[in-house]
Amino acid sequence: QSALTQPASVSGSPGQSITISCTGTSSDVGSYNLVSWYQQHPGKAPKLMIYEVSKRPSGVSNRFSGSKSGNTASLTISGLQAEDEADYYCCSYAGSSTPVVFGGGTKLTVL
Amino acid sequence: EVQLLESGGGLVQPGGSLRLSCAASGFTFSSYMMSWVRQAPGKGLEWVSGISGSGGRTYYAASVKGRFSISRDNSKNTLYLQMNSLRAEDTAVYYCAGSSGVTHFDFWGQGTLVTVSS
């Protein structure tokens, strides 16, 4: 199973909105509404930000939102804040034999 | 408070074996699918293996199938990963993670570093 495709980096200024894309195939992202997103600060464990394409866990800011169209999922962060600077990973269900595939990760820089 | 505490990492020679453990607390362990996810130095996340709440179903990434074995002891609230025939490319921080859903990881441990080198 190939990794999902994410841009290596994105950037934005405080207060702006950014979107990170995550492109898979009809075997993973395109077939299941089971995309999740994780935030990882340097030296820390990942944190769940979005699950099942667009659901937010309790405690996650509503500045974070998710969507999906075809084989591509997206994470949008509005009202960028300095603490949003981190690596972001998408993840999708990919079938019963090898159920999980991650994206390569996107480094978000808040200018 | 949910806590996952990994242990067992360290330096091992190529071809060697290592057993990782993940002690869980603060949630009903047997109700959660558990997984191991690794991250090579400076690289992205890679799912390694998963196990159902009862332990009856296990799943592996192609890169570790036949070499790694996942198990759990629900009486001890502990997840394990037996790693055999280790290779340099297995060098990574290994995280254990708990899932309430099919493939989203609700919570993560702090990770344990495995280094495969001669």
Side-chain angles (χ1 to χ4, degrees):
Chain A
Q1 208 73 20
S2 300
L4 307 176
T5 300
Q6 298 180 234
S9 63
V10 299
S11 63
S13 300
Q16 287 186 333
S17 295
I18 64 95
T19 296
I20 300 171
S21 62
C22 169
T23 301
T25 70
S26 57
S27 297
D28 39 62
V29 174
S31 288
Y32 309 98
N33 289 325
L34 293 172
V35 176
S36 52
W37 290 89
Y38 302 85
Q39 176 191 65
Q40 186 181 35
H41 288 109
K44 301 295 187 182
K47 175 187 176 183
L48 177 66
M49 305 302 285
I50 295 287
Y51 67 100
E52 293 174 7
V53 175
S54 60
K55 298 178 181 178
R56 268 189 317 275
S58 173
V60 172
S61 171
N62 59 9
R63 297 186 299 105
F64 292 82
S65 62
S67 62
K68 191 188 88 166
S69 178
N71 296 338
T72 299
S74 298
L75 172 71
T76 297
I77 308 174
S78 59
L80 269 181
Q81 299 179 1
E83 58 262 36
D84 299 332
E85 185 163 293
D87 294 326
Y88 291 84
Y89 295 89
C90 63
C91 177
S92 176
Y93 181 70
S96 57
S97 59
T98 305
V100 181
V101 60
F102 278 98
T106 298
K107 181 176 179 58
L108 169 62
T109 300
V110 180
L111 302 170
Chain B
E1 180 192 4
V2 170
Q3 282 196 327
L4 296 174
L5 186 62
E6 301 95 335
S7 60
L11 176 63
V12 61
Q13 291 188 338
S17 298
L18 213 54
R19 188 199 200 200
L20 305 183
S21 299
C22 173
S25 61
F27 65 103
T28 306
F29 183 67
S30 59
S31 297
Y32 282 74
M33 179 167 179
M34 298 297 295
S35 291
W36 290 95
V37 178
R38 69 185 180 183
Q39 187 169 35
K43 303 296 185 181
L45 301 173
E46 180 189 15
W47 175 80
V48 172
S49 182
I51 186 168
S52 63
S54 66
R57 289 172 293 158
T58 58
Y59 310 88
Y60 298 93
S63 57
V64 306
K65 193 171 292 186
R67 300 188 299 124
F68 290 11
S69 177
I70 191 172
S71 62
R72 65 192 297 161
D73 186 336
N74 287 345
S75 69
K76 295 182 179 179
N77 286 355
T78 302
L79 174 73
Y80 303 100
L81 185 68
Q82 177 66 44
M83 304 185 294
N84 299 328
S85 302
L86 283 162
R87 308 166 180 167
E89 54 265 35
D90 296 317
T91 293
V93 173
Y94 285 71
Y95 295 100
C96 70
S99 304
S100 61
V102 178
T103 57
H104 65 267
F105 305 105
D106 298 82
F107 35 80
W108 300 65
Q110 86 293 344
T112 187
L113 177 62
V114 172
T115 303
V116 183
S117 175
S118 55

